[in-house]
Amino acid sequence: QVQLVESGGGLVQAGGSLRLSCAASISILSFNVMGWYRQAPGKQRELVATITVSGGTIYADTVKGRFTISRDNAKNTADLQMNSLKPDDTAVYYCHAVTAVYPFDFWGQGTQVTVSS
């Protein structure tokens, strides 16, 4: 069974940085797209950033210029570098991966990011 395991969350002051990492139990070349989503209390889960197998990226407007997504095919990881963090970035961050075959996508268990003002 495919597993995605996030790490790197924690508590940081506004203006600080964190780096999240998502480790996959299989080669990430199997995933057409990998991404990070987040869900704040009382809100719907939202897209943060995605990266394709060829390296194309998409970012939510709220994080453009502050967050950078990357993938390391040799290590089977996808990272999210988060700079200039704001209290509004506080959420549980989830790793997501998409394949072309059933079950088509996978989710990690989430990691908490808390930004204090």
Side-chain angles (χ1 to χ4, degrees):
Q1 182 172 349
V2 175
Q3 288 187 323
L4 302 175
V5 180
E6 301 100 334
S7 62
L11 173 64
V12 64
Q13 288 188 330
S17 299
L18 282 175
R19 188 176 183 89
L20 305 183
S21 187
C22 173
S25 60
I26 65 171
S27 170
I28 65 171
L29 293 174
S30 303
F31 304 138
N32 297 333
V33 181
M34 295 190 75
W36 287 91
Y37 288 71
R38 67 187 181 187
Q39 187 166 18
K43 295 186 177 181
Q44 290 188 332
R45 192 172 296 188
E46 63 177 7
L47 171 71
V48 176
T50 63
I51 184 167
T52 68
V53 68
S54 59
T57 57
I58 294 175
Y59 294 93
D61 288 343
T62 53
V63 307
K64 280 181 182 177
R66 300 188 298 122
F67 290 11
T68 302
I69 190 170
S70 61
R71 58 191 289 165
D72 188 326
N73 294 332
K75 296 181 179 179
N76 294 322
T77 58
D79 290 356
L80 184 70
Q81 177 66 43
M82 305 186 295
N83 298 328
S84 302
L85 283 161
K86 305 175 181 179
D88 284 348
D89 295 318
T90 295
V92 178
Y93 284 70
Y94 297 91
C95 181
H96 182 243
V98 177
T99 68
V101 296
Y102 183 86
F104 302 116
D105 74 338
F106 304 93
W107 289 93
Q109 82 287 351
T111 185
Q112 176 71 45
V113 171
T114 303
V115 184
S116 63
S117 57

